[in-house]
């Protein structure tokens, strides 16, 4: 076969493997779609890319090299069922993992092959939970929000409160990380220069498994790193000290893999920007560090993060975490009202009420009857009630109570 044909066959192989198994990261697919469909985005992402390349090429102009970049982070956890709610401990573990990787403090750095060890870098970038929200109020940096959405896709709805997700905190000042039940992919990230309202990282719930390192890889993308194979056969990742390699590395190889004429050292499959199993990744290179730092240079797409007050002491202390209140779309609808015989209760947008007991009381507060909600549209027979005003009341496990009035004809 000719090289061109070989390449096509190779892509088909890689592609079919990718659709069958859960792919670890969808950033390249996500950004490719954006680049194809949105001319404004294409311009902005390409402009960011051009900026990064210029600063990379002139490292002397990078005045931020002495010191550590500290990035304020806010987690948005969208849950539908109780098991989709993440704990503070899980968030801390994710940040700890992230910081160990970016500061090259992992125990597994000893596994970096001798030939690549001189290239391995302490990236001097750290990620910390925000201590001040955009209004300089107290925050612990973790937002948890119920959503009627059971499964999320790569369409960014999780980033919009109006679509039952959670609005980003000013992405020029915070790294927003959404954790939700993402379908098919472990996670994806926007690239520097992306639409500001969508900027950030999305992680599926599976990505929080302590043996995965999705967050490290996606933070790399968010800071402008590309996949180490450049998303093409022997492609370019924009970094000079990562060897060219044919494609992503599945699993966890134990031997040198020579591709694209990169012998004798072979593929740097232990790089965080490969798809190698987490247990076998252990380095970012100096070139990658340079590329990430380039975004923070004056005029760069991530420069504004250096001016964030997100890690400062809050100006307004609140003893309670700020409660945004229950969104309107959670409202339970009852119909018809007034009612003759059957009153329908629509719980479509808030399944948390299913399995809970709902009480009917009269105006004097006396309980007339009660029933357990069994489905999203619950029908309540009120045929035998005398005409008058009644109330429906219930409490759910989340401490929410509901009270609604209806009129029996
Ligand atoms: Zn990726």
């Amino acid at each position: 076969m000719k090289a061109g044909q070989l390449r096509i066959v190779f892509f088909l192989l890689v592609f079919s493997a990718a659709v069958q198994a859960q792919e670890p990261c969808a950033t390249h697919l996500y950004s490719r779609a954006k680049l194809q469909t949105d001319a404004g985005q294409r311009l902005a992402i390409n402009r960011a890319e051009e900026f990064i390349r210029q600063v990379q090429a002139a490292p002397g102009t990078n005045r931020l090299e002495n010191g550590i970049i500290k990035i304020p982070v806010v987690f948005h956890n969208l849950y539908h069922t109780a098991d989709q709610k993440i704990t503070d401990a899980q968030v801390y573990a994710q940040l700890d993992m992230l910081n160990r990787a970016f500061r090259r403090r992992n125990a597994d750095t000893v596994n970096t092959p001798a030939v690549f060890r001189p290239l391995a870098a302490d990236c001097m970038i750290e990620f910390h939970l925000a201590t001040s929200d955009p209004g300089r109020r107290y925050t612990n940096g973790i937002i948890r929000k119920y959503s009627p959405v059971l499964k999320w896709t790569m369409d960014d709805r999780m980033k919009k409160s109006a679509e039952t997700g959670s609005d980003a905190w000013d992405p020029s000042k915070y790294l927003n990380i959404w954790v939700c039940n993402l379908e098919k992919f472990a996670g994806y990230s926007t690239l520097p220069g992306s639409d500001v309202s969508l900027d950030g990282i999305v992680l599926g719930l599976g990505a929080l498994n302590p043996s995965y390192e999705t967050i490290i890889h996606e933070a790399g993308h968010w800071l402008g790193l590309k996949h180490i194979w450049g998303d093409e056969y022997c492609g370019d990742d924009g970094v000079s000290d990562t060897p060219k390699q044919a494609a992503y590395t599945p699993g966890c190889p134990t031997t040198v893999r020579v591709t694209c004429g990169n012998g004798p050292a072979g593929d740097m499959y232990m790089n965080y920007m490969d798809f190698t199993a987490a247990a076998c990744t252990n380095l970012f290179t100096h070139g990658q560090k340079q590329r990430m730092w380039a975004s923070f240079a004056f005029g760069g797409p991530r420069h504004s993060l250096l001016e964030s007050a997100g890690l400062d002491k809050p100006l307004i202390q609140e003893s309670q975490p700020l409660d945004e209140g229950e969104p309107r779309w959670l409202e339970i609808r009852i119909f018809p009202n007034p009612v003759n015989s059957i009153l329908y209760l629509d719980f479509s947008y808030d399944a948390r009420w299913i399995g809970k007991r709902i009480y009917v009381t009269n105006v004097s507060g006396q309980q007339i009857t009660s029933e357990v909600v069994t489905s999203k549209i619950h029908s309540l027979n009120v045929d035998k009630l005398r005409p008058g005003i009644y109330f429906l009341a219930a409490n759910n496990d989340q401490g929410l109570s509901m009270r609604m009035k209806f009129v029996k004809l």
Side-chain angles (χ1 to χ4, degrees), residues 24-28 187-189 214 217-218 221 225-227 229 231 272-275:
C25 165
T27 298
H28 57 304
Y188 69 94
S189 175
T214 311
H217 178 98
E218 297 305 335
H221 282 312
L225 295 189
K226 298 182 175 181
H227 287 142
W229 68 100
D231 295 322
Y272 290 119
M273 298 318 288
D274 201 337
F275 278 2

